[in-house]
Amino acid sequence: MEYIDSLALLVSVYIVSLVSPGPNFIIVTNTSMTVSRTAGLFAGLGLAIASLTWAIMAMAGLGFLLTHFDWLHITLQVVGALYLIWLGLKMIRGAAKALSTTGPTEVTWRSAMRRAYVVSMTNPKSVAFFGSIFALVIPAHAPVWLYCVIALTCFLLSALWYCGLAFFFSNPRVSASFLRFKAGIERVMGAALILIGSRLLIVR
């Protein structure tokens, strides 16, 4: 019963963290609207795999490492912040460009998945969540089956949420609305990433 309660608490906290807007939300919605539904789904899958990676790392002792080695936590935060700033600047620079009329290639899908994975793995929000709250909620000396359930649950919840976002934002009506305000929306998204990254560099 203790393990079930811990799992329920962990899932509840994870869902709240999952649905709160951030870099992951921006990357999957932007990819879905500017590239294709397929690319958006691959981006969502990349984020789900990143969630699985973070969960495994947290259960393997990430929280302990971040607590006892401040330089590691600071390094991850700085690298993640700089990447978000770079991604935001790139998004703003490309905001005024018209979308390509050619369909996405397989490389584009893989690139979308890879970029989403990197965004999540360098996202300081993920570092903070999985390195602290996530690691603390897991019971000490938990059985192997609980670790497997936690990892699988994180992957499935992340996949359902982000792939669901990809389906919604790649809807023709949503995409058509986006195209009318593409430049403004992408500039706002890019600015949001820059602000998040800048704030993380300042508040360390």
Side-chain angles (χ1 to χ4, degrees):
M1 189 66 179
E2 173 192 355
Y3 296 138
I4 300 300
D5 291 340
S6 297
L7 180 60
L9 175 60
L10 188 65
V11 169
S12 300
V13 174
Y14 181 64
I15 290 175
V16 172
S17 174
L18 190 65
V19 301
S20 61
N24 291 359
F25 177 88
I26 292 175
I27 200 67
V28 73
T29 55
N30 182 261
T31 301
S32 301
M33 291 186 293
T34 60
V35 183
S36 69
R37 172 171 290 177
T38 301
L41 290 173
F42 269 82
L45 183 58
L47 293 172
I49 294 174
S51 295
L52 176 62
T53 304
W54 276 118
I56 292 174
M57 290 172 61
M59 291 184 289
L62 175 64
F64 175 84
L65 291 176
L66 294 179
T67 301
H68 290 78
F69 297 96
D70 289 338
W71 64 267
L72 178 60
H73 185 276
I74 293 173
T75 299
L76 289 173
Q77 188 167 336
V78 170
V79 170
L82 291 175
Y83 182 75
L84 292 179
I85 292 173
W86 174 82
L87 199 62
L89 289 171
K90 184 178 180 182
M91 193 174 291
I92 290 175
R93 285 199 302 267
K97 296 180 181 178
L99 296 181
S100 173
T101 56
T102 59
T105 63
E106 185 176 357
V107 175
T108 302
W109 303 338
R110 290 175 179 173
S111 297
M113 182 176 176
R114 183 172 58 250
R115 186 173 68 158
Y117 181 85
V118 172
V119 165
S120 184
M121 293 306 297
T122 57
N123 183 358
K125 175 185 170 184
S126 299
V127 177
F129 176 76
F130 285 99
S132 58
I133 300 174
F134 188 94
L136 290 173
V137 174
I138 299 176
H141 310 296
V144 175
W145 69 263
L146 182 62
Y147 290 142
C148 294
V149 170
I150 290 172
L152 182 60
T153 299
C154 287
F155 174 81
L156 291 177
L157 287 176
S158 184
L160 285 172
W161 172 247
Y162 290 120
C163 289
L165 288 177
F167 266 106
F168 176 76
F169 283 96
S170 61
N171 180 279
R173 292 185 179 180
V174 177
S175 298
S177 299
F178 169 79
L179 287 175
R180 289 199 296 270
F181 306 100
K182 174 184 179 296
I185 293 175
E186 288 199 331
R187 288 191 181 104
V188 170
M189 287 183 170
L193 290 178
I194 293 173
L195 286 175
I196 293 172
S198 300
R199 183 176 181 276
L200 290 167
L201 283 179
I202 296 172
V203 184
R204 286 190 291 112

